[in-house]
Each structure stands twice: as C-alpha cells, then as structure tokens.
Amino acid sequence: MAVVSAQQAYQMLGNASLWEVAHECHAILDVAAVPHAIVGGVAVCLHGYQRNTVDLDLLVASASAVPIRLALEAAGYQWSEETAEFRSRSGIAVQFLTAAERAGAGSEARLPDPADKTVIIYLEGLPVLTLAKLIESKIACGEGSLRRTHKDFADVVELIAKHDLGSAFARHLHKSLRKSFKQLVVQSRDTG
C-alpha cells in the first residue's frame, strides 16, 4: 500500500487550498520570526491519519499576537472579530491556540510553547506538534468538551492504530491524561 502524504490527501479530498494556506501561513510567520506549530486536524493528517478539516489551527505564544496580526494582514488575511479568526483570500479560517493555556477545559495539561524545539517536528516542511504533544492536546480537548469528545478521541484512536502505539506510550503524556490514553489503546484494538 502506497503511503499518501498530507498534501496528496488534501488534494484528493478537494481541499488543496487548505494545504496552500498552511504553507503560506508558515512562510509568513517564519519570516516574521514568530514561533508557531500546526495543531488540530491538519496536524493529525500530517502525522499519518488522512482526514479532512475545514480550518488551520496554529499554536503560538500570547506575546506574538501583534506581530501575527501585522504579518497576516500585510499578506491579505482578514481578521474577523465575530469569529476571532483570520480568513485567507480563499476563505480558509486560521485559528490560534495560545501556549500555556489549558489544553482542554479544566485540564491539568497545558499547551506547550512552540519556541520549545523539543515539542515540534517538521513534517512535509511544516512545524507540527510532536505525536505525543498532539495526542495529549487531543485527549485534553476531548475530555473538556462533550461536543469534541468523539472527534478528538477518534483522532487519537486512529493515530494509535497508525503508529501501532501501546499503553507504554502513555509515559510521554501528562500524567492526568494517561488513563484515558490507555483506555483508547484498548478501544483501538477492539475489533468486535
């Protein structure tokens, strides 16, 4: 079976503009010297589980708000006060999560600082949270919101299966999330 890149997946899904926006935002923020990392659905796809999404989620430091706004507006992105997100010229939403905030409502786990090189990996030319940090954020977010539980936990189950992760991988996660991860490992193995 041929390995499909995230870029190929988005082209097949008819969502090549999202892929282009991801690369464009990375280039803009890189030139502006703003540390950032891709999270959310695009990160899940970059880590090997090909699924579609409608927006780009970026992790940044709170001190980067002004440079981000200046850089993206100069590149033609429009800020929406109503939705608290930028929109690309093609209409793709670009949303931001802030380092040090809770990874999910009520979670003990915090979102990492994208300036910390140990939590970032480059996949297909883009800075992405490491697999452990992505799984951690997905579990925390899923535990914190019933509306997100099924999607976030499904992403984690698929990443577990894709990377053949076992319960021992839990040691890489925040201690408050390890039990949930181990339960998802068991569920990912359940074929009944």
Side-chain angles (χ1 to χ4, degrees):
M1 184 172 153
V3 176
V4 175
S5 71
Q7 180 180 10
Q8 292 168 324
Y10 284 119
Q11 287 171 339
M12 288 185 297
L13 294 166
N15 203 355
S17 57
L18 176 61
W19 182 254
E20 292 162 5
V21 166
H23 271 276
E24 185 177 62
C25 284
H26 167 57
I28 292 165
L29 296 179
D30 201 37
V31 167
V34 174
H36 59 283
I38 294 175
V39 294
V42 175
V44 169
C45 191
L46 283 160
H47 274 288
Y49 171 48
Q50 276 70 44
R51 76 152 174 94
N52 213 348
T53 187
V54 296
D55 59 12
L56 175 65
D57 297 311
L58 294 171
L59 176 65
V60 297
S62 61
S64 300
V66 172
I68 289 168
R69 189 164 192 156
L70 292 172
L72 289 179
E73 286 178 346
Y77 285 72
Q78 298 292 316
W79 175 253
S80 168
E81 284 294 333
E82 183 180 325
T83 57
E85 64 191 15
F86 281 95
R87 288 271 172 183
S88 72
R89 291 175 295 287
S90 60
I92 301 293
V94 180
Q95 301 173 338
F96 293 89
L97 292 99
T98 307
E101 287 186 353
R102 293 183 186 279
S107 179
E108 292 178 31
R110 301 280 178 166
L111 292 169
D113 182 349
D116 178 355
K117 302 292 186 211
T118 67
V119 299
I120 305 297
I121 184 170
Y122 277 79
L123 299 171
E124 297 185 46
L126 296 169
V128 185
L129 280 184
T130 61
L131 184 59
K133 288 298 179 184
L134 178 61
I135 287 173
E136 191 175 89
S137 70
K138 284 285 186 179
I139 293 172
C141 194
E143 285 182 344
S145 170
L146 185 57
R147 290 185 61 209
R148 296 198 47 95
T149 299
H150 299 293
K151 181 170 36 172
D152 287 327
F153 282 15
D155 284 344
V156 173
V157 166
E158 293 298 337
L159 290 169
I160 288 167
K162 177 71 179 171
H163 294 277
D164 197 26
L165 302 176
S167 293
F169 188 81
R171 73 181 182 281
H172 300 290
L173 307 177
H174 190 277
K175 63 183 178 183
S176 66
L177 305 173
R178 292 174 183 166
K179 181 178 179 184
S180 292
F181 176 79
K182 289 176 181 179
Q183 290 170 339
L184 292 171
V185 168
V186 169
Q187 291 173 356
S188 75
R189 308 287 190 250
D190 183 12
T191 58

